[in-house]
Amino acid sequence: MTPDSEIGRVVAVDTAQVSIELNRDLRGMSRNTYEGPQEVGRINSYVIIPAGARRLVAMVTRVVLTEEAEMKADRTMVALPAARRLMKATLIGTIDGTTFQQGVSLFPVLDSPVHLAERADLDAIFGPIELTADPVQDPDKPGYCIEIGESAVVQGRPVRINPDAFFGKHAAVLGSTGSGKSCTIASLIQSIREHDAVKRTTFVILDTNGEYRSAFQKQKEDGTWNEAAKRDTLYIPSDPRMAAERLVIPYWFMNAEDFVRLFQASKGVQRPVLLEALRLARNDTSMVTPLALLREELIWEINRIWSLSGKDEKTSTDVRDLAKGIKKRIGQNDLATAWDEAQSYCDLTREDVEKAFQEVADIANQHIDQGTYRKVIPADARKAIRDALEPIYEKLTGLHLSDSGGITGRSADVPSYFDKLKFRSRHIEQVLRREESGGARARDYAGTMLLRIDRLLADSRFDFLFGTPGETLPSPAQALATFLRDTLGIGAADEETRRSLSNPEDVPEGQLPFYDRQRDGETAVDVVILDLSLLAAEVLENVTALIGRLILEFLQRLGEQGGEDARGSLPVVLVLEEAQNYIQHPRSADEESISRLVFERIAREGRKYGLSLVVASQRPSELSKTVMSQCNSFIVHRLQNPEDLRYFKEIVPGIYGPLLDQIPALAPQTALVLGECVPAPALVRIREARPVPRSHDPKFYRYWVADQAPTIDVETICKRWEGANDTECKEGDS
């Protein structure tokens, strides 16, 4: 290292912080070296401190000027104050030869010389300015090969990230509104797609503000869109007017928990009723017979009685009332045909069943003493109840009550088709009748849930989920596989598989747009933009959670069932724009959020299966702490809210504390990049996104000074808002 690069000496060491006194002969705050003039003491610049055979790298965080009076030896004269220039820096890594590694394992000693970082040092830290023609020699070890911008301190020095480190361990892009988060994400994806070695990517963007299409496609004068680059992008809007392209997610893809949260089924009565109705619906077929319905109902009720009689609580009255209710139910006229089938099928008569349940009621009644309940039905009484029901159960199932068998078929979680109208009119009613057969006021308790179900099924805003009110979405072959191919941008299946898909007569064009695209041979795409901006706010959490869960569970099954090397073979990056809207940290212990639970699970488990999160938010303090704690890389734009600043300082290593003090003053398009994705913390001027997302700040002054006010079609907008279709809007205009 040349002597002319020396600028000072270490005068204090405090763990990762060092204090440096600049040389007194240093004129101004610059130093002429053989590489040219360099600034000294610029915030965020790098300095080098030799430590044996290695060199410590520190980042300047503070520069101060102090004055000290000099006392002569005879104490008779005081000289004019002498200025001391002190610089504080944070140790960030070590250079060993030509290799840089984050973190320090040794510290400088006092009076160690301090040097400016020369080009060789910066090359060791950030890599050479110009990469070789083949930058990725080993795909398993890409290194820092994706350029995200240029150092805001060292002019002409590109800053690159390691894509495996950035995406493999989740990342966060944070900043106040207008600080450039959307442009940063768009620029990052564009940089990856423009890289010579990259042949394909799988980015899925949950675009809650409708910003990203313009970053990857350009709109022509006739209103159509073309790709802005050579690679393909799939844009899926939530606008119902775009019938042939719009987002449609069939309701039967939801699992039991999705339905519970969507219908807001409370614990107690509502949740069990909903879950059992879902199970019945998913196991229902068009070939269901009256005997099958009767068998299902009797098996369910016998198991309920057996479960109640074995509980260590006051259940005698419950068992008696339930048995009487079942006896009344099996005598109703709608089961007459089923009894005829039962007698010929398994020699089971209604009289035998009524007698058995009456015997159960009598046994339970014997253990009710003057209006008070004994805590438990005695063992001998439980055996008598079992002996009364055992013959019926055997004829219905071929199993004994003590066996582990019971109700079989699909669970309420399986993403299999069911008819939404039958679900509401038949299966929920069937479960309510069961509950009420034991004297419970199930219908009263489930009233709020039933009202919400009816409202959602009839509300046109939820057509993307439930289809047109009064009708149901078709259930074409391979619907789930086709949806996932579309959402992940994998492209259409082979010709043989496509031939197995339903004909257009079975699924009319525009009814399931994802199905139409795959049926028509949609090619693979690099970026899929799910525009969620026009979805009703009350279902945003449900929709984001459903998309995230389907992708995660598909990748899990791919890893477990796809072969030895299948795990992680389809890396997917899921970009969560404005994530604070659907993965908020709970404000109380009782606050529940289905999307928060799903994305916390992805944050914990997704990396193993190749699913990565890029969390973009303007309010990090409101985000789930579990999700944020799993992020190992950060691109931080300006943050001004004290709570956000305090929270962010808590989740990053403490040695970066002095660096974070500058975050409130960062300029637009400038960000502090931290974590495993970069070789060293850096203040970066993010490369421009070309084209840019539709996230421009409003131009108030341009509107104020314009000669003519823009024409606003308020009537048409409001008619669409009120639910009118385009035809009605045009007729109204004429």
Side-chain angles (χ1 to χ4, degrees), residues 371-418:
T372 61
Y373 318 141
R374 294 186 180 181
K375 289 185 177 181
V376 59
I377 294 179
D380 58 340
R382 286 162 51 198
K383 182 179 183 303
I385 290 175
R386 188 168 110 173
D387 290 343
L389 297 178
E390 184 88 29
I392 299 172
Y393 197 87
E394 286 185 1
K395 289 182 178 181
L396 292 171
T397 66
L399 298 173
H400 295 281
L401 284 175
S402 56
D403 293 337
S404 59
I407 301 175
T408 59
R410 298 187 181 99
S411 73
D413 289 320
V414 176
S416 60
Y417 173 80
F418 65 90

Side-chain angles (χ1 to χ4, degrees), residues 15-244:
T15 61
Q17 298 290 318
V18 295
S19 297
I20 302 163
E21 182 176 2
L22 299 178
N23 293 338
R24 292 180 183 273
D25 63 349
L26 191 64
R27 303 303 177 190
M29 293 299 286
S30 64
R31 166 73 80 180
N32 286 318
T33 70
Y34 75 96
E35 292 182 353
Q38 295 187 46
E39 282 190 71
V40 176
R42 184 171 181 179
I43 301 298
N44 298 311
S45 62
Y46 302 93
V47 294
I48 304 297
I49 306 172
R54 288 177 282 185
R55 291 165 286 166
L56 302 178
V57 181
M59 196 170 181
V60 177
T61 58
R62 189 182 183 198
V63 181
V64 296
L65 181 68
T66 63
E67 294 183 351
E68 292 183 354
E70 295 183 1
M71 183 71 70
K72 293 296 183 178
D74 57 5
R75 297 178 180 276
T76 60
M77 184 182 301
V78 178
L80 293 174
R84 295 181 69 207
R85 289 172 293 180
L86 297 178
M87 188 166 66
K88 290 188 179 293
T90 300
L91 295 171
I92 60 172
T94 307
I95 298 176
D96 190 353
T98 59
T99 304
F100 173 80
Q101 182 176 3
Q102 278 203 58
V104 292
S105 57
L106 73 163
F107 296 88
V109 298
L110 294 179
D111 208 37
S112 295
V114 180
H115 299 263
L116 291 170
E118 299 179 345
R119 177 163 182 166
D121 300 314
L122 295 174
D123 285 349
I125 300 171
F126 295 106
I129 293 178
E130 297 293 337
L131 292 177
T132 58
D134 186 12
V136 183
Q137 300 292 338
D138 183 357
D140 293 330
K141 298 178 180 179
Y144 304 97
C145 61
I146 302 297
E147 185 174 335
I148 62 170
E150 180 181 293
S151 171
V153 178
V154 185
Q155 187 174 5
R157 173 65 59 176
V159 178
R160 304 182 182 94
I161 63 169
N162 183 323
D164 283 353
F166 187 84
F167 296 111
K169 297 183 180 179
H170 310 305
V173 180
L174 309 174
S176 301
T177 180
S179 60
K181 297 186 302 299
S182 300
C183 287
T184 294
I185 293 174
S187 173
L188 175 62
I189 297 175
Q190 290 170 359
S191 180
I192 294 170
R193 298 173 91 196
E194 293 167 7
H195 196 280
D196 293 336
V198 173
K199 299 179 177 63
R200 69 192 61 81
T201 64
T202 304
F203 285 92
V204 180
I205 303 176
L206 303 187
D207 185 5
T208 57
N209 288 332
E211 298 177 343
Y212 282 93
R213 185 178 194 181
S214 61
F216 302 100
Q217 296 180 335
K218 291 184 177 179
Q219 189 172 23
K220 298 191 297 185
E221 293 183 359
D222 62 359
T224 59
W225 293 76
N226 281 344
E227 295 296 332
K230 295 180 181 179
R231 298 182 181 274
D232 292 330
T233 303
L234 174 60
Y235 172 75
I236 303 178
S238 54
D239 190 342
R241 295 176 298 159
M242 304 174 71

Side-chain angles (χ1 to χ4, degrees), residues 352-387:
D352 292 338
V353 176
E354 288 178 336
K355 180 180 178 181
F357 280 112
Q358 182 61 52
E359 186 175 348
V360 171
D362 293 341
I363 294 171
N365 194 55
Q366 293 172 9
H367 299 281
I368 300 175
D369 185 19
Q370 297 179 354
T372 61
Y373 318 141
R374 294 186 180 181
K375 289 185 177 181
V376 59
I377 294 179
D380 58 340
R382 286 162 51 198
K383 182 179 183 303
I385 290 175
R386 188 168 110 173
D387 290 343

Side-chain angles (χ1 to χ4, degrees), residues 169 603-604 624-632 634 647 651:
K169 297 183 180 179
R604 291 190 300 264
S624 161
K625 288 180 170 53
T626 299
V627 173
M628 289 297 291
S629 68
Q630 296 295 323
C631 294
N632 282 28
F634 300 91
Y647 173 69
I651 64 175

Side-chain angles (χ1 to χ4, degrees), residues 242-246 248 473 507-514 516 519:
M242 304 174 71
E245 307 168 46
R246 77 190 193 285
V248 173
L473 290 172
V507 184
E509 283 193 29
Q511 195 160 20
L512 293 178
F514 69 85
D516 296 338
R519 186 166 50 193

